[in-house]
Amino acid sequence: MIRTLSRRLLNAAGLLLAVLVFNFALIHMAPGDPVEVLAGEMGGATPELLAEIRAGYGLDRPFHVQLLTYLGRVAQGDLGHSFYYDQPVTGLILDRIGATLLLVCAALTLALLLGCFLGVVSAQNRNGWLSHLVTLLSLAGFSAPVFWVGILLILTFSVALPVLPISGMSSVDAGRMGPWGRAADVAAHMVLPVLTLASIYLAFYSRLARASMLDVLGSDYVRTARAKGLSRFLVVYKHALRNALLPVVTFAGLQFAQVVSGAVLVETVFAWPGLGTLAYESLLRRDSPTLLGILFFSALMVVAVNIAVDLLYRLIDPRIGAR
Amino acid sequence: MSMTPTPPLLSVRDLTVAFRVRGEDAPVVRDLSFDLHEGETLGIVGESGCGKSMTALALMGLVPNPPGRIASGSIRLGDEELVAAAEARLRRVRGARISMVFQEPMTSLNPVFTVGEQIAETARAHLGLSAREARDRAVEMLRLVGIPAPERRVGDYPHQLSGGMRQRVMIAIALVCEPQVLIADEPTTALDVTVQAQIFDLFRELQDRMNTAVILITHDIGVVAEMTDRVMVMYAGRKVEEGPAADFVAAPRHPYARGLVNCVPRLVADPPDVPEPLFEIPGLVPGAEALARPGCAFAPRCPRAMPVCGREFPPVTASPGGRSVACWLDAEGAR
């Protein structure tokens, strides 16, 4: 167990290093000069001033020197300094990551729980109306672009039926509310972005859970469970579901990266103050240290989640890691 | 044993199980009647697809539905009618009064629960035991089915056990509530020969101890001769012959049953230089659509078929000693 974990951590470190180098090179090659963007926002600058800014950020040095300097700093836990915000990138990210994690975790939990439930129910009566409804909804979920779903939800529930806030994470007067009031305020703001982000994954998980349950319900051990005279509830939710969960958990782990990138779109549509919005803004501003920092952080999260999923497997299926 | 006047423990009458195939009902078990007495072992013999496993599932109330269902007939256990009984009542019978051991020990146990839990949950479901008592009962059952160090094994997962051990666990699950009827559907087919012998020894020992009636489904005539009191031969969903096992193996009546018995290779003391070719029943097991045709389903493969065989299913001819056969060759008044 500990050996597997340390091997996984070592792999993860190698992977993260590769991500850093690759992203750094990619952003270096991308067109657009951060210094010119900065100068533009300052209202123009002389070539001497440009050169000075460039030297100040070390941007005049050769590529490999810049890369090694950056890697050295990251190794010490310093993700650099934002050109635009003029503050440490780590601080910027830590300020925003809570909002993103809240969004991603809520959406993923909703998608997983509801997806598994719908999958199980529709697997039990595979030709019933509910099964067809789930198939239809998941097809819609697959095909609809996330931002479009978001805009549609805003138009429906914030404009036509003004019951939920349009965007942001809290109301303007949130400062005057008590702690519960503020929590309720954030919750109300979460509804639409979480629904939007969850919609596509809900579709995935309900299809996957349905297929997996159908497979498991036909297995010999489910027949044994029925032959024991167990109740239908125990047969389905104890004997079948636990086995059917494995592919769903695998998929959820693999998809976490996609959920994080999906969050970028959703955050942009709903002006959710998370990492996604920050990434989008940094990209437009050529704020490469911030962008690199966010990419690194996302990679870190994805790797961590995958290790967690591996450990979760062992809890669900005793056959894994028994050797 | 069949002479005892006590009423049978299990009584099946005119049981028909049908599968809906492309909008039509295809019978896979037809007009099947038999009795099972306390402590008796009944063998059901036949080729794959003859309806023996479906008969077992029908007794358990587990015919896969859809597409299958019990179309007609009666199954009585004691004085309880099981056909058309409510699911809740069937659930109290399954695993408690009738239980079943399946063919595939490798896949019949749930891989994510300990074997102890899989035995204990049956005891909890039917005997109302507490978690603690059920676990103790599981250890006791593992000991009973001959698993060494049961206190330790109770926490093992199925993948940590060999095929033979897993089948012992399946037997422990089946017997934990001391059922009146145990159905064993080819319980040793997936196991190697030495383990096979051990499992059968175990069956005999436990049957003596608990006085359980056993239905043993097999296609192995050797097993029939060794293990069963009475035997029933099925072909294409129907019973074609029934009788005491010893008499049957010595002199099968129905041409199909003769074929089955002749299929068993014999050990001879002084073999000829050129061994006799192994007997084989010509032709194939008929498909579901052939079963709906009138007449004897075996007629197309039968070496002694007569014109009448293709027209009408033969009446059952009973003879002394508890034997019966459904064949025109035995039917009175047949030309």
Side-chain angles (χ1 to χ4, degrees):
Chain A
M1 181 75 171
I2 293 182
R3 252 190 58 202
T4 327
L5 191 62
S6 49
R7 203 176 54 223
R8 290 298 315 258
L9 287 177
L10 209 66
N11 283 345
L15 185 70
L16 287 175
L17 181 69
V19 165
L20 273 175
V21 174
F22 186 72
N23 284 337
F24 193 89
L26 212 60
I27 287 181
H28 194 84
M29 284 188 289
D33 181 356
V35 179
E36 271 168 24
V37 176
L38 268 182
E41 294 203 351
M42 287 191 298
T46 56
E48 290 75 31
L49 185 58
L50 286 183
E52 199 184 312
I53 297 175
R54 226 165 242 139
Y57 286 117
L59 293 173
D60 53 345
R61 286 184 281 171
F63 172 72
H64 66 273
V65 177
Q66 287 187 38
L67 176 62
L68 288 177
T69 316
Y70 182 68
L71 291 181
R73 284 219 209 103
V74 172
Q76 293 167 37
D78 175 12
L79 289 176
H81 200 83
S82 163
F83 295 153
Y84 181 81
Y85 294 94
D86 196 26
Q87 50 173 301
V89 168
T90 316
L92 268 177
I93 290 176
L94 290 180
D95 280 349
R96 303 281 198 116
I97 197 158
T100 295
L101 283 182
L102 187 66
L103 179 65
V104 166
C105 292
L108 207 56
T109 310
L110 178 71
L112 268 177
L113 290 183
L114 195 59
C116 283
F117 178 73
L118 288 178
V120 168
V121 171
S122 71
Q124 277 179 276
N125 49 347
R126 47 169 27 173
N127 291 317
W129 62 270
L130 192 68
S131 182
H132 290 306
L133 187 70
V134 168
T135 310
L136 193 75
L137 283 182
S138 48
L139 199 66
F142 274 136
S143 345
V146 179
F147 57 89
W148 182 76
V149 172
I151 291 168
L152 221 60
L153 283 176
I154 290 177
L155 286 177
T156 315
F157 293 104
S158 303
V159 180
L161 285 165
V163 287
L164 289 167
I166 292 185
S167 69
M169 193 172 165
S170 53
S171 307
V172 186
D173 55 352
R176 283 187 282 128
M177 299 174 183
W180 289 111
R182 227 173 306 166
D185 185 46
V186 171
H189 280 84
M190 274 174 72
V191 174
L192 293 186
V194 166
L195 275 183
T196 308
L197 188 55
S199 68
I200 179 164
Y201 304 103
L202 181 65
F204 269 120
Y205 297 143
S206 62
R207 293 297 293 166
L208 194 63
R210 180 176 187 270
S212 179
M213 271 306 275
L214 279 178
D215 198 37
V216 170
L217 283 176
S219 69
D220 288 352
Y221 52 82
V222 165
R223 187 181 57 184
T224 305
R226 297 184 64 204
K228 285 176 181 179
L230 299 183
S231 69
R232 192 178 168 81
F233 180 83
L234 278 180
V235 171
V236 171
Y237 288 92
K238 180 180 177 183
H239 282 267
L241 183 59
R242 176 112 176 244
N243 283 281
L245 270 184
L246 211 57
V248 180
V249 170
T250 311
F251 216 66
L254 288 176
Q255 270 205 329
F256 184 75
Q258 288 183 43
V259 181
V260 171
S261 57
V264 175
L265 281 176
V266 174
E267 286 183 7
T268 310
V269 171
F270 288 93
W272 186 261
L275 278 187
T277 329
L278 186 64
Y280 178 69
E281 287 164 0
S282 312
L283 187 69
L284 289 184
R285 290 171 180 146
R286 301 289 182 272
D287 189 354
S288 50
T290 309
L291 195 55
L292 272 175
I294 293 170
L295 293 177
F296 176 70
F297 237 83
S298 312
L300 199 67
M301 282 198 297
V302 170
V303 167
V305 164
N306 275 294
I307 291 178
V309 166
D310 272 11
L311 297 181
L312 194 61
Y313 275 172
R314 287 153 202 267
L315 290 182
I316 297 180
D317 190 340
R319 284 169 299 182
I320 297 171
R323 283 144 291 165
Chain B
M1 214 171 280
S2 52
M3 291 295 167
T4 44
T6 51
L9 177 62
L10 180 76
S11 171
V12 176
R13 287 291 170 274
D14 304 319
L15 179 70
T16 296
V17 179
F19 268 61
R20 194 151 264 278
V21 186
R22 276 174 252 107
E24 276 181 46
D25 269 349
V28 290
V29 175
R30 266 177 113 170
D31 304 325
L32 185 68
S33 300
F34 66 91
D35 289 334
L36 181 70
H37 293 268
E38 215 171 277
E40 182 188 35
T41 302
L42 170 70
I44 303 184
V45 190
E47 287 164 296
S48 327
C50 73
K52 32 186 220 293
S53 294
M54 208 42 72
T55 304
L57 290 179
L59 296 181
M60 296 290 291
L62 287 178
V63 173
N65 178 8
R69 71 196 166 88
I70 295 178
S72 61
S74 139
I75 300 171
R76 293 186 76 81
L77 176 67
D79 17 286
E80 196 165 3
E81 174 61 51
L82 299 184
V83 171
E87 178 63 21
R89 261 181 66 200
L90 281 178
R91 210 156 57 217
R92 283 199 293 275
V93 171
R94 274 181 214 138
R97 298 179 62 196
I98 306 184
S99 56
M100 186 158 174
V101 173
F102 295 97
Q103 183 173 349
E104 260 305 330
M106 304 313 272
T107 53
S108 291
L109 289 168
N110 195 322
V112 302
F113 296 106
T114 63
V115 295
E117 167 60 18
Q118 297 189 54
I119 301 171
E121 68 174 345
T122 315
R124 287 201 306 268
H126 295 295
L127 307 177
L129 299 186
S130 70
R132 179 85 207 210
E133 292 165 332
R135 193 181 165 84
D136 290 346
R137 180 100 177 105
V139 174
E140 192 188 314
M141 285 311 294
L142 286 178
R143 181 173 300 122
L144 193 67
V145 296
I147 289 185
E151 298 84 0
R152 215 149 31 80
R153 287 301 191 180
V154 78
D156 276 1
Y157 288 94
H159 70 268
Q160 291 165 297
L161 303 177
S162 68
M165 287 291 168
R166 288 188 212 189
Q167 198 59 301
R168 284 172 192 262
V169 171
M170 284 299 294
I171 294 169
I173 291 173
L175 294 180
V176 66
C177 299
E178 305 196 345
Q180 295 162 294
V181 179
L182 173 67
I183 305 170
D185 187 0
E186 309 212 18
T188 59
T189 307
L191 305 174
D192 68 51
V193 186
T194 48
V195 181
Q196 213 167 35
Q198 292 167 12
I199 294 287
F200 281 132
D201 285 345
L202 178 67
F203 266 117
R204 258 194 298 247
E205 190 193 319
L206 294 177
Q207 189 178 16
D208 284 349
R209 191 187 296 216
M210 298 183 178
N211 201 28
T212 311
V214 175
I215 297 179
L216 182 62
I217 296 174
T218 179
H219 54 245
D220 186 336
I221 298 293
V223 168
V224 167
E226 201 181 332
M227 291 290 300
T228 66
D229 302 315
R230 210 148 47 82
V231 63
M232 180 170 106
V233 181
M234 286 183 73
Y235 187 81
R238 293 199 201 242
K239 177 170 83 177
V240 294
E241 182 164 355
E242 185 181 355
D247 299 351
F248 167 77
V249 175
R253 287 261 184 74
H254 195 278
Y256 172 66
R258 279 185 212 175
L260 273 186
V261 174
N262 284 338
C263 281
V264 181
R266 282 171 215 287
L267 271 180
V268 280
D270 187 19
D273 291 340
V274 182
E276 267 180 63
L278 193 59
F279 181 80
E280 174 188 14
I281 304 175
L284 290 173
V285 182
E289 62 284 353
L291 304 189
R293 278 204 304 259
C296 173
F298 188 61
R301 299 170 73 185
C302 184
R304 301 173 66 186
M306 302 174 289
V308 64
C309 299
R311 286 198 304 272
E312 210 180 322
F313 191 78
V316 176
T317 315
S319 53
R323 298 193 69 168
S324 68
V325 59
C327 179
W328 284 113
L329 292 171
D330 287 75
E332 273 179 311
R335 277 145 294 175

